[in-house]
Amino acid sequence: MLPSPVSLRSLRQELLAQSDLQGDDFCRSFSAAADQWLAGLLEQATDGKPRGVALVAVGGYGRGELCPYSDLDVVLVHNGRRDIRRVADAVWYPVWDEGIRLDHSVRRPAEVLAVAKEDLRAQLGLLDGRVVAGDPSVAEPMLATALEQWRARAARWLPVLAAQVDERHRAHGDVAFLLEPDLKEAHGGLRDVAAVRAAALAVNSVAAQVDLASLSGPRSTLTAARVELHRFTGRATDRLLLQEQDQVAAALRYQDADALMASIAEAGRTIAWVTDDVWRRRPTWPTGAPRRRRWPLGGASSPSGEAAPAVAPVERGVALEQFGGGGPKEVVLEPGTDPGDDPTLALRVAAVAAERGLPIGRGSLDAMAAAAPPPPEPWTGDMRSALVRVLATGHGAIPALEALDQRGLLVRLIPEWAAVRNRPQRNAYHRFTVDRHLLEAAAQAAALTARVDRPDLVLVGALLHDIGKGFPGDHTEAGVRVVGEMGHRMGFSPQDVAVLTGLVRNHLLLSEVATRRDLDDPATVETVAAAVKDRPQLLLLAALTEADSLATGPAAWGQWKAGLVADLVHRVETYLAGGELRRTPPPLSERHRGFMRQVELLGRSVVAADVPNVTVVARDRPGLLSSVAGVFALRGLDVRSADVAGEGGFAVETFVVEPSRGRWPDFERVADELEAVLRGSFPLEERLAEQVRAYADGRRSVSSRPVEIRVTIDNAASAGSSVVEIRAEDDVGLLHRITAALFALDLDVVAARVSTTGHEVVDAFYVRDTTTGGKVTDPSQIDKVRDGVVRAINASTTRPARPT
C-alpha cells in the first residue's frame, strides 16, 4: 500500500498563509496542489496501476481557477474497470473527510458524452476539462469529442445559454453599479467570461467580432477580489458585502475600499460591455463555418468580397445598419461622415439609439472617440437640445450614454463626469454607484416631465443633482458650485442656472421636511416656500425628489413617504398662491371619544389598528409614549410618525407604523402587553434587552462608515415647540429609549417623525417644557437635553459608546 497523501486542507492553509499569493497566482497554485493530492489518491486507490481510469477536472477547476473554497468539480472516467466502485470510494471519501466540497460523477466516456448531450451544465464543464491523473487514453479522446459535440449542437445550446445569461443578469444585477456585487453571477461577473469563452469555442467568428483579449485584465481583477473574499471569510462566497470590502481592499493594497470598488466597477463594466456585444450578435451566427469580420462604418464590401451591410440614413450623419440574414440593427455613422465636423454628433447618435432601443456600432464609437471635438464654450442651443433629447427617452438613455462613456465621450462632453464615474456610495440606502444613480434619476425624471413647465431643467437637474459627490466637502455645497459653473458653460441663461443650482441645493429638502417635520405647523410650510420661491420651481423640485428617491433604492420611496411629500407640496403650493396658514389642532373624532369611553368602562388601554395607522388611547400618565414605543419595538413595529393629543385625563396617541419583520403582529397581543407594562407586571426593559442580544449576532454592516451621533435643538422650525432632531444608527428600541430620556428631562413630546435611511435613523421630536409649556431656550437646559439623549442612544447593548 502506498503512503497516504498529505491533507489538501493543510495544503490550502499553507497557501492561504502566504498573504502575497493572490488572484490568478493563488488559483493556479491551489489547482496544482489539488491536482497533486488527487493524483496521489488515485495512485493509491489503483495500487499504482491506473490503466483504464482517469480523473478529469472540469469547470473552473479544469481552467485552473480554483479559489480557496471553490468546489472540486471532477469526473472519474473509466473503460469498464471491475473495481471502479472501490476506486471511486477510495478517491471520494478522503475528499469528504477533508470537508472539501465535491461535485463528482463516475462514468464511462460514452456515458459522459450522453449526459452532456442533454445537460448544458455538464457540456460546458467538459469544454474546460483536463486530465488530472490516470490513463490519458481514456479521457483525452472523450474531451476532444465533447468539443466537437459542442460545436455540432451549438444551434441548440447557444440560445439556451443566452437565455440563462439573461436570467442570471436579472437575478443578480450589475457588478459595476451595485453596492454589494456578486463577483461571479452578476452582469459583468466571472461567469459571463466563461459563457463567452464557450460561445467562442462554438462559433469561429466570435473572436473576430469582439476583443476577447480585453477580458483578461478585468477577469483577473475580479478573481483577485474573490480570492481575498474567500480568504477573509473562510468560506465559499461571491457577494462582496460592505463589511468585507475594507479588508479585501487592504489585502490587495488598494488605497481604500472606495478604490477597490471603483476598480471592480471598471472591471465589471468592461466585461459587460464586451460580453453583451457577443450575445447581441447571436442572430448572425451560423455554426461550424468561418465567419466574416465585422465592418464598422458600413458602406463598403469586406475584403472577401461579401456584400456590405444595408445602411439606411436616419438624420444628418446618423444611420441604421443591418447585416444580411435578419441580423441585428445598430446605430452607426452615415458613410462619409467626419466625426470631427459636428460636436453634437455623439449626442445625436445616442439619442437615435435610445429612441429606437438599439446599440451603437462599436466602430462608430471608436471613430467618434478618435475624432469628435469637445463641445464649444458655451454650448450652442443644438448641443443642449441634443442632451435633453437623449435624457427625455428615459431608461433607453442609460445604455446609450453608457456606450459613450465606455469610449470616453461622455467625459469629453461633461468633464465633471470623471469625478463620479465608478464612485461607490457605500451604504445600504443606495443601490448604485454615483454615476449610475445619476443616469437612473434622469431616466425616472423623464417619466415626470408632464408635471413641470420646463422638462429640460428637470432632466438636466436630475442628471447633475449629485455631481458634487465627486468633489471635496459637503456634496450639496460642492454640487451648487460645480453645477453653477457647468450651467454657464452649457449655455443656460443666468435665470436657468439659478434654477439648476436651486434644484441641487434643495434636492433633499422635500424628503427631509416631509418625513421629519410636522406638516400642520405653519413654520414648516413657510420654510419650504422661502426655499423654492415660486410654483414652477416647487414642481420641478417635487419631480426631482421623486426621481431621485426612485433611483436611490426600494427603501427610499414608499407609499408613506410619497404621500407625505405630496401633502407638503400641496400645502406649499396653496401658500404660494396666497392661501392662509393656521395651526388648528385637529379635534378628537367621535371614534376617539368612543375609545375613551371604552377605556373608562373597561379600565384598560385600547390599541386600534387600521394598518399602517395605529391608535392608542389610555389614561394619561407620565412616560406613556415611551411605553408604547417599547412595546411596538418588541413586536417588530417601526414607528414612522407619532402625534399626541389628549382631553379630560385621556391620552390619544396616533402612529403610522411599518412591520420590521415583514409581517404585522397580533395587535391583541400588543394591547395585552401594553396594558401589562402600564400596570407594572411586564418586564419591558428586560425583554427589549433580550431581543437586542438575540438580533445582535445576525446584524451586519450596512455602511462603510459609522454613524456619528448628532443631537440638535431647533427653535425656529416650529412656532410653538422646540424640535429635537437626532441622528443615530438604527437600533432595536431606540425610539423607546429616546422618548424615555425626553420624559426624564421634563419635556412633553407632542409629535414625532422618524425617517430611516438604510443604517441611519433621523428622529425629530416636537417638545415643550412641562414647566413653562413653551420652547426649550435656556442654554444649560439645551445642553442637558443633548447629553441625556446621547446617553440614551449609547445605552444599547449592540453599540459601543461613541463621543458626539
Side-chain angles (χ1 to χ4, degrees), residues 62 94 122 172 236 324 355 370 494 502 531 545 555 690 698 765 795:
H172 296 281
E355 289 162 354
T545 299
E690 291 173 358
F765 298 91

Side-chain angles (χ1 to χ4, degrees), residues 623-630 633 639 685 688 709-713 723-749 751-755 760-767 784-796 799:
L624 176 62
L625 178 59
S626 176
S627 298
V628 175
V639 175
E685 303 297 335
L688 280 172
I709 297 172
R710 285 186 287 169
V711 180
T712 60
I713 291 87
V723 177
V724 180
E725 185 169 286
I726 301 160
R727 292 175 180 265
E729 186 177 332
D730 198 9
D731 193 21
V732 176
L734 179 63
L735 182 62
H736 165 70
R737 299 198 304 276
I738 292 173
T739 51
L742 294 174
F743 164 69
L745 291 162
D746 296 322
L747 297 178
D748 187 20
V749 178
R753 299 292 181 268
V754 180
S755 176
E760 183 179 23
V761 65
V762 182
D763 292 349
F765 298 91
Y766 284 70
V767 301
K784 289 180 181 178
V785 171
R786 185 179 293 108
D787 293 342
V789 170
V790 170
R791 282 195 300 273
I793 294 170
N794 282 325
S796 168
R799 179 192 294 107

Side-chain angles (χ1 to χ4, degrees), residues 599-798:
V599 171
E600 188 170 27
L601 179 64
L602 299 179
R604 59 169 291 162
S605 57
V606 170
V607 177
D610 182 16
V611 293
N613 302 299
V614 179
T615 301
V616 176
V617 181
R619 291 284 186 183
D620 200 5
R621 69 193 71 199
L624 176 62
L625 178 59
S626 176
S627 298
V628 175
V631 173
F632 281 6
L634 196 62
R635 290 297 140 228
L637 289 173
D638 289 337
V639 175
R640 290 289 167 255
S641 69
D643 291 284
V644 179
E647 182 180 284
F650 293 94
V652 178
E653 299 181 347
T654 306
F655 301 87
V656 176
V657 297
E658 290 180 354
S660 61
R661 302 169 196 167
R663 64 183 185 277
W664 294 105
D666 179 351
F667 281 98
E668 289 187 8
R669 183 176 183 182
V670 172
D672 290 342
E673 289 182 350
L674 176 60
E675 184 61 26
V677 169
L678 297 180
R679 293 180 184 276
S681 59
F682 186 89
L684 179 60
E685 303 297 335
E686 180 181 330
R687 295 290 177 84
L688 280 172
E690 291 173 358
Q691 183 157 301
V692 167
R693 288 192 293 272
Y695 279 89
D697 291 340
R699 291 173 56 143
R700 68 175 181 86
S701 174
V702 291
S703 176
S704 62
R705 302 170 181 86
V707 178
E708 179 185 357
I709 297 172
R710 285 186 287 169
V711 180
T712 60
I713 291 87
D714 186 350
N715 280 312
S718 171
S721 303
S722 296
V723 177
V724 180
E725 185 169 286
I726 301 160
R727 292 175 180 265
E729 186 177 332
D730 198 9
D731 193 21
V732 176
L734 179 63
L735 182 62
H736 165 70
R737 299 198 304 276
I738 292 173
T739 51
L742 294 174
F743 164 69
L745 291 162
D746 296 322
L747 297 178
D748 187 20
V749 178
V750 296
R753 299 292 181 268
V754 180
S755 176
T756 304
T757 57
H759 64 297
E760 183 179 23
V761 65
V762 182
D763 292 349
F765 298 91
Y766 284 70
V767 301
R768 294 173 185 157
D769 190 312
T770 55
T771 303
T772 66
K775 296 182 179 184
V776 181
T777 56
D778 181 75
S780 62
Q781 188 181 10
I782 289 175
D783 289 341
K784 289 180 181 178
V785 171
R786 185 179 293 108
D787 293 342
V789 170
V790 170
R791 282 195 300 273
I793 294 170
N794 282 325
S796 168
T797 58
T798 66

Side-chain angles (χ1 to χ4, degrees), residues 338-347 367-376 379 383 408-409 411-414:
D338 183 352
D341 291 342
D342 183 358
T344 72
L345 184 61
L347 287 173
M368 290 188 291
W379 286 21
M383 280 291 299
L409 289 162
V411 171
R412 192 175 306 176
L413 292 165
I414 305 174

Side-chain angles (χ1 to χ4, degrees), residues 44-107:
Q44 181 173 297
T46 60
D47 295 324
K49 301 174 182 178
R51 184 175 179 180
V53 62
L55 199 59
V56 177
V58 298
Y61 178 30
R63 295 190 298 272
E65 297 175 358
L66 200 60
C67 286
Y69 295 95
S70 296
D71 292 0
L72 289 178
D73 290 348
V74 291
V75 182
L76 191 63
V77 186
H78 66 98
N79 63 1
R81 280 185 64 133
R82 293 183 179 180
D83 63 346
I84 192 62
R85 177 172 295 181
R86 180 190 62 78
V87 171
D89 287 347
V91 174
W92 304 151
Y93 276 97
V95 179
W96 292 326
D97 290 343
E98 287 283 294
I100 304 293
R101 299 202 312 181
L102 179 68
D103 190 340
H104 66 288
S105 62
V106 182
R107 294 190 173 97

Side-chain angles (χ1 to χ4, degrees), residues 56 79 106 162 244 301 303 313 350 375 410 424-425 481 537 569 575 613 645 647 748:
V56 177
N79 63 1
V106 182
E244 282 112 29
S301 297
L410 192 53
Q425 305 192 81
R481 184 190 74 253
Q537 292 188 68
V569 170
Y575 175 72
N613 302 299
E647 182 180 284
D748 187 20

Side-chain angles (χ1 to χ4, degrees), residues 349-351 353-354 358 360 365 390 393 395-405:
V349 168
L358 295 174
I360 303 173
L365 284 168
V390 179
T393 63
H395 284 90
I398 295 176
L401 292 174
E402 169 70 9
L404 299 188
D405 197 24

Side-chain angles (χ1 to χ4, degrees), residues 416-437:
E416 293 81 0
W417 197 258
V420 296
R421 191 174 189 273
N422 294 333
R423 187 174 184 84
Q425 305 192 81
R426 300 184 60 231
N427 66 73
Y429 193 58
H430 289 88
R431 57 181 169 176
F432 294 125
T433 54
V434 177
D435 55 340
R436 182 56 178 263
H437 170 71

